[in-house]
Amino acid sequence: MRAWKTVAKMTVVHGRGENERECEGNRMESPVFEEIDPADDCDCPGCAHWRRVLPHSRTGRFPGHPAAHRTALVVAAVTSAAIAAPAAPAVAAPQPQRPADPDVPAGDEPGTPQGRRAPLYGPGGQAAPLAGLARPARVPAITRADIVERARSWVTRKVPYGVASYWSDGYRQDCSGYVSMAWRLPGNEWTGSLGKYAERITKDELQPGDMLLFHNAANPYGGSHVVLFGGWTNSARSQYVAYEQTAPHTLRRATPYAYWRNSARYVPYRYKGVSDGAAGAGASLPAVRTPFPGAAYFGPGAENEYVAELGRMLVARGAGRFYPAPPGPRWTDADRRATRAFQEAQGWRGAAADGLPGPLTWELLVTGGGREIPSGDSASGSFASSAPPPAPASHGVPGYPGRAPFRPGAVNDHVTRLGRQLVKKGFGRYYAKGPGPRWSEADRRNVEDFQRSQGWRGGAADGYPGPETWRRLFA
């Protein structure tokens, strides 16, 4: 009898386990296998990806690292082949299909699997009692400002995405756990139960702190998703600020309505315990913490409390000369000129300094960020002829102007410079014509191509240049 030797060798390439078989000779005694189980703390993009899509379960539903799992499949396949047909080489076992990356719009399902309903976990890892989880009997009261602040806290901390992980506040680090945290629910809900704490609303009724829910009954734990609404970014209401928990960590980003894919299946909901007032006695939030209400609240004909608050914040930042009288609730040309002066003080030009506040303008005002409005000609309010700002250097990266110049609708020289460098590096295939100063979908897709060429996936390859993207692109 002729014996066959099949060497099943596990190699780890960029963190992805890949099975390689080599048939060496025709007269060896028995199969030899080499198994390599990558370390649990490997932080390369591949291992991070597989930990996300096939996490280590606390219940033991997955026995170990996916690379080791696939090695076992190779052992079984080769051994079986050797027994059943010893005179023929073993046939390679099929490779498991790798799930689609979460930000690639080609798939039907989000790359954000979620866990089941669960109690809160304290910092010590002990489970809290399950009281209140049988049904949504208790709906804690909370203000919109509190919801947005809680959502922003995870964005600031860049809480990693994880189906079986719990943050120090006790909430699960997946999309439904994130909304449970923002709404301050008594436990970790999932997309199949969050709707019981809320009521359905229309698109026109959406306000910051509401949610957009996609519950996929056909694949509820792997094909559902939920995001928090943070305010409209344009008057057409075709794009909004989304707060969401997705790989690799919590994000706040401009998102097309209702979502990047499966858009028609997302349903707007409003939390039953939300209010526009104070969170409780002695817990009222300062006016400057009010979340952005949406672009529809500003412009000719608008009259509401947000216009008055905008005026007060602009005066505090040096725009007092634009107002012959104290700012009021009715939108006037003084509001437009003052807003434009603040935007130009940040170095924005063109459509990015149109005098109408967007989410970024509002956030800089409410947090006290950005540059103050310089003194200038009170008759025009225009600073286009003033000296250009010094060369930017954000996050310690020379030349990087920050994220603001690359938001949807932005028009500035930084977009042109970025586009030309992308073409120079060979990443300009989405341009129908030469790069220009207006940020477009072609710019975003070319940036995404460059980011993916660096081995980044998910939220790290969202098409918006961050400091590391800029550093590598211009290195």
Side-chain angles (χ1 to χ4, degrees):
M1 292 290 292
R2 289 186 177 181
W4 299 87
K5 175 184 175 184
T6 302
V7 179
K9 174 181 169 185
M10 167 60 65
T11 61
V12 178
V13 182
H14 298 298
R16 295 193 303 273
E18 295 184 356
N19 296 317
E20 298 178 353
R21 291 181 176 79
E22 299 174 357
C23 293
E24 299 178 350
N26 297 326
R27 307 181 188 278
M28 304 304 293
E29 293 299 327
S30 60
V32 178
F33 303 96
E34 178 182 1
E35 178 176 326
I36 299 176
D37 192 359
D40 290 339
D41 59 353
C42 177
D43 59 356
C44 71
C47 279
H49 168 79
W50 284 113
R51 279 198 297 270
R52 184 176 75 248
V53 299
L54 295 175
H56 296 273
S57 171
R58 296 187 177 188
T59 60
R61 65 183 177 88
F62 185 74
H65 195 283
H69 181 59
R70 289 196 301 280
T71 305
L73 292 178
V74 176
V75 172
V78 174
T79 303
S80 175
I83 295 174
V91 178
Q95 290 285 347
Q97 185 174 2
R98 184 178 178 183
D101 289 309
D103 284 343
V104 177
D108 290 332
E109 300 176 354
T112 50
Q114 62 175 324
R116 300 176 183 271
R117 297 179 73 197
L120 297 182
Y121 281 74
Q126 297 298 317
L130 285 169
L133 284 179
R135 63 183 186 276
R138 184 163 64 93
V139 181
I142 191 171
T143 66
R144 292 190 182 282
D146 276 337
I147 292 175
V148 174
E149 280 300 307
R150 290 171 68 84
R152 187 182 292 133
S153 69
W154 275 30
V155 175
T156 303
R157 292 174 175 83
K158 296 184 178 180
V159 175
Y161 180 86
V163 177
S165 303
Y166 292 81
W167 195 239
S168 58
D169 54 14
Y171 290 95
R172 192 176 55 243
Q173 295 167 216
D174 61 5
C175 60
S176 48
Y178 179 53
V179 174
S180 300
M181 179 279 300
W183 285 0
R184 202 163 55 204
L185 298 181
N188 287 283
E189 299 297 324
W190 71 304
T191 56
S193 62
L194 279 170
K196 297 178 181 179
Y197 287 87
E199 56 186 3
R200 291 186 63 164
I201 58 175
T202 66
K203 174 184 176 181
D204 293 337
E205 293 175 315
L206 276 168
Q207 295 186 48
D210 297 336
M211 75 171 174
L212 290 164
L213 175 68
F214 167 37
H215 180 65
N216 185 3
N219 186 7
Y221 292 101
S224 305
H225 193 43
V226 60
V227 302
L228 284 168
F229 180 82
W232 298 108
T233 64
N234 57 18
S235 57
R237 299 194 176 191
S238 61
Q239 192 174 66
Y240 67 100
V241 173
Y243 292 88
E244 64 176 315
Q245 182 68 359
T246 185
H249 53 70
T250 321
L251 293 177
R252 175 191 181 277
R253 58 178 171 178
T255 303
Y257 186 85
Y259 197 63
W260 301 97
R261 53 195 171 186
N262 292 309
S263 180
R265 302 179 69 180
Y266 279 78
V267 180
Y269 280 89
R270 174 164 298 155
Y271 176 53
K272 292 178 180 178
V274 71
S275 68
D276 294 322
S284 59
L285 297 175
V288 295
R289 307 306 291 273
T290 304
F292 181 61
Y297 285 83
F298 307 98
E303 185 173 0
N304 54 74
E305 60 180 308
Y306 298 108
V307 174
E309 184 170 352
L310 172 72
R312 289 192 292 267
M313 292 189 294
L314 287 167
V315 168
R317 301 301 296 273
R321 67 180 183 275
F322 295 99
Y323 291 96
R330 181 183 296 276
W331 179 267
T332 66
D333 190 59
D335 296 301
R336 184 194 63 80
R337 291 164 59 201
T339 303
R340 181 184 174 192
F342 179 76
Q343 292 168 332
E344 290 183 339
Q346 314 313 309
W348 307 342
R349 297 294 183 267
D354 58 2
L356 296 172
L360 185 56
T361 299
W362 187 269
E363 185 169 352
L364 290 176
L365 287 170
V366 301
T367 60
R371 302 185 182 95
E372 301 294 314
I373 299 174
S375 59
D377 181 5
S378 62
S380 66
S382 173
F383 299 92
S385 60
S386 60
S394 178
H395 296 75
V397 179
Y400 178 59
R403 298 182 184 274
F406 309 107
R407 63 191 181 115
V411 180
N412 55 74
D413 293 337
H414 302 301
V415 177
T416 304
R417 182 184 176 197
L418 173 74
R420 289 173 178 170
Q421 189 67 8
L422 285 166
V423 171
K424 181 179 179 181
K425 290 280 189 176
F427 295 92
R429 65 184 177 132
Y430 290 107
Y431 288 127
K433 56 183 180 179
R438 181 179 296 277
W439 177 261
S440 66
E441 178 65 9
D443 294 299
R444 192 196 68 78
R445 296 179 70 183
N446 285 329
V447 172
E448 182 182 13
D449 263 7
F450 175 76
Q451 291 168 332
R452 289 183 178 277
S453 74
Q454 308 303 304
W456 303 341
R457 296 294 183 267
D462 60 1
Y464 294 94
E468 184 61 17
T469 299
W470 189 273
R471 185 185 68 79
R472 295 192 183 195
L473 186 60
F474 286 89

